[in-house]
Structures are given as C-alpha cells and as structure tokens.
Amino acid sequence: MDDDPNRKVEVEWDSTKGYSYPVRIQIYSDDKKGLLAEISNSISANEANIRNARVDTTEDKKAISTFEVEIRDLNHLKKVIRALEKIKGVNGLKRVRLDVQTES
C-alpha cells in the first residue's frame, strides 16, 4: 500500500487559522527511569500539547507509549517526530490513525 502511488492522496493543512489537529504517536522505547519524562518534555519543548498519554511495559523492559498531541501542521509534526527520534532509549515510533467517531 505504501508504494502504490494510486492510493496516495495529497492533503494540505490550513495553518493560517491557528487550528490544531489531534495526532496519535506510538513510541517504542526502553523501560528506564526518567525516559517518560524526557519524552514528555521533548513534546512540550516543541510546542505540542499532550492531550492524552498511555504507557504499557513489557516483561523484557520495553515500553510502548501512545501520545495524542495537538499539532499545527505537517511541518510541526515532523519537528516533534525528529526530536523524539533523537532521544536515547527511543527505539522507534509511528503515527497511529485516530478513531473518528461520527454522530448518527
């Protein structure tokens, strides 16, 4: 799917209105003291608000952290992701699709 150009859609965020968009990021990391604080501080330092956070740990001392953050635009998201990838102990991350609820 990622390599099929027919399945890609160009999108653009309107950053002129001061809106923020919820984005979910899942982070795979080591389970070590202080790492959650470092991840949270990195998100905040890059001017993204954390709306929701959840951390699950594994028996082999790994952590899976899911953050829902408010992002202004795609460049802002890229900036936040680059900063998170630089943190020692972060082994990988990905953007996760948000569940969209509709009214019936």
Side-chain angles (χ1 to χ4, degrees):
M1 181 171 139
D2 292 333
D3 296 328
D4 185 357
N6 295 324
R7 296 185 61 105
K8 292 185 180 183
V9 176
E10 289 292 324
V11 296
E12 188 172 313
W13 288 348
D14 184 0
S15 59
T16 61
K17 306 251 190 233
Y19 294 124
S20 63
Y21 304 89
V23 174
R24 188 171 292 151
I25 301 171
Q26 195 163 65
I27 302 169
Y28 304 92
S29 66
D30 298 330
D31 178 17
K32 69 176 192 174
K33 185 177 179 180
L35 187 56
L36 177 59
E38 193 172 346
I39 290 169
S40 299
N41 287 336
S42 177
I43 293 170
S44 297
N46 284 283
E47 301 174 2
N49 183 49
I50 299 170
R51 294 176 51 166
N52 194 346
R54 177 186 171 136
V55 179
D56 294 302
T57 57
T58 63
E59 291 181 13
D60 62 345
K61 304 295 273 177
K62 300 293 179 188
I64 302 167
S65 306
T66 306
F67 289 89
E68 186 177 316
V69 297
E70 293 176 349
I71 299 294
R72 290 185 303 268
D73 55 34
L74 187 56
N75 287 330
H76 187 209
L77 175 60
K78 289 178 181 179
K79 179 180 174 184
V80 170
I81 288 173
R82 277 193 304 270
L84 291 169
E85 290 174 332
K86 291 179 183 178
I87 297 173
K88 185 177 180 179
V90 170
N91 302 318
L93 61 89
K94 68 178 181 178
R95 183 175 173 188
V96 179
R97 183 180 194 107
L98 283 169
D99 296 329
V100 179
Q101 297 181 5
T102 57
E103 293 182 29
S104 359

